[in-house]
Amino acid sequence: MSLIKKFSIIGVVFIFAFLLAEVLLRSFTDFPVGRSNIILDKDIGYRISSQVRDIDIYGFRNRDDKWENYELATMGDSATFGSGVFLKQSWPSQFEQMTGVQTYNYGVGGYGIFTYHKLVLDELNKGKQVIVGLYIGNDFELTGSPCQIDFQNDFW
């Protein structure tokens, strides 16, 4: 068997294995949380689909019963969401465990200052306390955000 033929067979097997791994990851995990797993929201840009594990019916990373009973709302981007860690390891969950204060996590990757503004006002109007986890590196960017806020709606 020629060297070219051997490398061709190895290449085909490698590509097949890579594609099989991709199909399995997408079938049995929530990977990736991206455009295919978001629901557009005219006020805050988007929320995450509740079909994703650990996402409540409102599109945020909480237990479903959390919406009814919380004192503190946390806002932020992927760091507040807890990208790369289990729900119990996100900083809002850790804060709740350490303080006993029922905490609702509004963190979603890609959120920025405009989304925080809307969410903070809504929560303060409900009489809730708020912590905003700012990341100075990108939370104040006005372009390039995946958040497509409709600045023509009633709120804005």
Side-chain angles (χ1 to χ4, degrees):
M1 189 181 298
S2 74
L3 191 59
I4 293 175
K5 193 171 188 179
K6 287 180 185 178
F7 279 122
S8 297
I9 291 172
I10 291 170
V12 167
V13 169
F14 177 77
I15 290 170
F16 177 76
F18 179 78
L19 291 174
L20 180 63
E22 182 73 16
V23 167
L24 290 173
L25 277 173
R26 289 181 184 262
S27 297
F28 297 108
T29 68
D30 296 325
F31 175 80
V33 174
R35 295 227 181 256
S36 62
N37 294 328
I38 63 172
I39 298 169
L40 296 178
D41 182 300
K42 64 184 175 77
D43 292 334
I44 61 172
Y46 60 91
R47 301 167 187 265
I48 301 175
S49 168
S50 61
Q51 300 301 312
V52 175
R53 184 175 7 114
D54 293 334
I55 303 300
D56 66 15
I57 60 173
Y58 300 102
F60 299 103
R61 194 173 190 195
N62 301 283
R63 296 183 324 268
D64 277 331
D65 63 341
K66 184 70 73 140
W67 182 257
E68 300 296 325
N69 186 26
Y70 69 96
E71 303 165 53
L72 175 77
T74 59
M75 282 118 203
D77 55 13
S78 55
T80 301
F81 174 83
S83 290
V85 300
F86 294 110
L87 174 62
K88 290 184 177 184
Q89 295 171 317
S90 68
W91 76 257
S93 293
Q94 293 290 309
F95 180 86
E96 179 177 280
Q97 288 174 7
M98 289 188 292
T99 64
V101 175
Q102 291 293 317
T103 305
Y104 191 84
N105 185 350
Y106 280 102
V108 174
Y111 276 7
I113 196 67
F114 292 118
T115 301
Y116 305 156
H117 176 71
K118 170 69 170 131
L119 291 172
V120 166
L121 288 178
D122 288 350
E123 291 305 298
L124 292 176
N125 286 334
K126 289 190 249 178
K128 305 291 183 180
Q129 297 177 10
V130 176
I131 295 177
V132 178
L134 286 175
Y135 175 59
I136 303 302
N138 65 9
D139 282 351
F140 293 96
E141 289 181 8
L142 300 180
T143 60
S145 172
C147 253
Q148 299 299 315
I149 296 172
D150 177 8
F151 290 106
Q152 303 301 316
N153 72 28
D154 293 339
F155 173 76
W156 296 104

